[in-house]
């Protein structure tokens, strides 16, 4: 398996990279927040917000690929594009978390 194909979550298994590849890490391999002196100072806030939003969505909805869907990601240069024609089924979860205020 080439390094490029390994998922981010597994990259930390590589010796010497146990503390690398966090969403907010800066490196030439991950330029989403820029690099060096002018790298994005809002990346810590942004990462927390994205995690909170994702948790909110996952707590309230269930997702699965539609019957027979076989999405194919496409590559364009360094970009990887999800299959925007893929059909996904979404339904609201039963409320099973009671907020204690
Ligand atoms: C997912 C969300 C975000 C992405 C992908 C992003 C990405 C970037 C990138 C690529 C740069 C340029 C870095 C460079 O020139 O090397 C940048 C700069 C900057 N970002 Fe963000 N950013 C995000 C959220 C935020 C937030 C939430 C804030 C503030 C609350 C923020 C504040 C800034 C500032 C002030 C700079 C300029 C830093 C400088 O020039 O020294 N960003 N950001």
């Amino acid at each position: 398996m080439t390094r490029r194909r390994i998922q981010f979550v597994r990259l930390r298994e590589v010796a010497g990279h146990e503390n690398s590849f966090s969403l907010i890490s800066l490196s030439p391999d991950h330029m989403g927040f820029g690099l060096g002196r002018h790298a994005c100072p809002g990346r810590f806030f942004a990462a927390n917000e994205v995690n909170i939003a994702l948790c909110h969505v996952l707590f309230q909805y269930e997702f699965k690929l539609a019957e027979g869907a076989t999405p194919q990601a496409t590559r364009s240069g360094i970009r990887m594009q999800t299959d925007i024609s893929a059909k996904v089924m979404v339904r609201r979860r039963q409320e099973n978390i009671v907020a204690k205020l």
Side-chain angles (χ1 to χ4, degrees), residues 32-35 37-42 45-46:
F33 289 114
L35 191 63
R37 188 175 181 159
H38 290 284
C40 180
F45 176 77

Side-chain angles (χ1 to χ4, degrees), residues 3-66:
R3 183 185 153 132
R4 193 171 180 177
R5 287 174 169 256
I6 300 174
Q7 299 292 312
F8 272 73
V9 73
R10 299 194 51 208
L11 288 171
R12 288 179 170 211
E13 293 170 10
V14 177
H17 288 286
E18 293 84 356
N19 298 314
S20 311
F21 303 110
S22 154
L23 177 60
I24 47 91
S25 302
L26 304 173
S27 95
D29 293 329
H30 181 279
M31 297 279 292
F33 289 114
L35 191 63
R37 188 175 181 159
H38 290 284
C40 180
R43 64 189 188 279
F44 306 94
F45 176 77
N48 285 335
E49 291 294 301
V50 168
N51 280 334
I52 291 167
L54 184 58
C55 287
H56 184 73
V57 169
L58 293 177
F59 269 127
Q60 298 204 42
Y61 299 94
E62 293 180 289
F63 300 84
K64 75 173 185 180
L65 283 172

